[in-house]
């Protein structure tokens, strides 16, 4: 019985020392550096993808109502184009827009912008019968 309580006390002390070493204000080291972020700043009002359904090939865009029913280009945080979308007609939502995924592999949190006029003409030639297919 005495050996059992001695072992229990020893293991309790060892566990207390281990746990005491894990916590405290000295456990996190904060350093200052000269590294600058090169990623563009994303605001709360910027249109971005919040949901993707790869089975139906649709994406839901937050703050996308100002984009209209046009071709859309998505880009990641580094500004690299990830996909081409075609906005569906406006729904009853004031902030959400649904778009068909035409090309690429969009991800959640990709930013969305309207394609420029030259790109819109190019995409309109490729996807001219898009409305008739749905």
């Amino acid at each position: 019985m005495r050996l059992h309580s001695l072992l229990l006390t020893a293991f309790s002390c060892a566990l207390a020392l281990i746990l005491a070493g894990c916590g405290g204000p000295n456990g996190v080291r904060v350093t200052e550096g000269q590294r600058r972020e090169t990623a563009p700043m994303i605001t709360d009002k910027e249109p971005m993808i919040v949901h993707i359904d790869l089975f139906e090939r649709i994406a839901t865009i937050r703050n996308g109502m100002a984009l209209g029913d046009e071709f859309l280009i998505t880009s990641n945080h580094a500004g690299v184009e990830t996909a081409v979308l075609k906005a569906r007609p406006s729904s009853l939502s004031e902030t959400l827009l649904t778009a068909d995924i035409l090309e690429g592999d969009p991800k959640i949190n990709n930013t969305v912008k309207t394609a420029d006029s030259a790109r819109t003409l190019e995409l309109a030639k490729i996807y001219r019968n898009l409305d008739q297919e749905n």
Side-chain angles (χ1 to χ4, degrees), residues 94-115:
E94 294 180 7
T95 58
L96 297 177
L97 177 71
T98 305
D100 293 304
I101 301 171
L102 303 177
E103 301 175 4
D105 186 25
K107 302 289 185 205
I108 293 177
N109 292 334
N110 281 167
T111 56
V112 182
K113 63 179 179 171
T114 305

Side-chain angles (χ1 to χ4, degrees), residues 56-58 68-69 86-91 97-100 134:
E56 293 287 329
R57 300 280 302 161
I58 59 172
D69 298 336
K86 174 68 168 119
R88 289 185 171 187
S90 298
S91 64
L97 177 71
T98 305
D100 293 304
N134 290 337

Side-chain angles (χ1 to χ4, degrees), residues 8-120:
L8 184 61
T9 304
F11 284 127
S12 298
C13 290
L15 182 62
L17 287 174
I18 290 171
L19 292 177
C22 293
N26 295 331
V28 177
R29 182 175 160 201
V30 178
T31 60
E32 286 189 34
Q34 300 299 324
R35 184 175 157 214
R36 299 183 140 230
E37 296 294 327
T38 58
M41 292 295 290
I42 298 173
T43 63
D44 290 343
K45 303 294 182 195
E46 191 168 8
M48 75 175 28
I49 295 177
V50 293
H51 175 262
I52 296 172
D53 183 349
L54 293 177
F55 182 73
E56 293 287 329
R57 300 280 302 161
I58 59 172
T60 305
I61 303 166
R62 180 180 61 207
N63 300 325
M65 293 310 295
L67 297 173
D69 298 336
E70 300 182 27
F71 289 101
L72 308 171
I73 307 297
T74 64
S75 56
N76 62 12
H77 67 281
V80 176
E81 182 179 312
T82 57
V84 175
L85 310 175
K86 174 68 168 119
R88 289 185 171 187
S90 298
S91 64
L92 298 176
S93 175
E94 294 180 7
T95 58
L96 297 177
L97 177 71
T98 305
D100 293 304
I101 301 171
L102 303 177
E103 301 175 4
D105 186 25
K107 302 289 185 205
I108 293 177
N109 292 334
N110 281 167
T111 56
V112 182
K113 63 179 179 171
T114 305
D116 61 4
S117 59
R119 186 77 187 270
T120 299

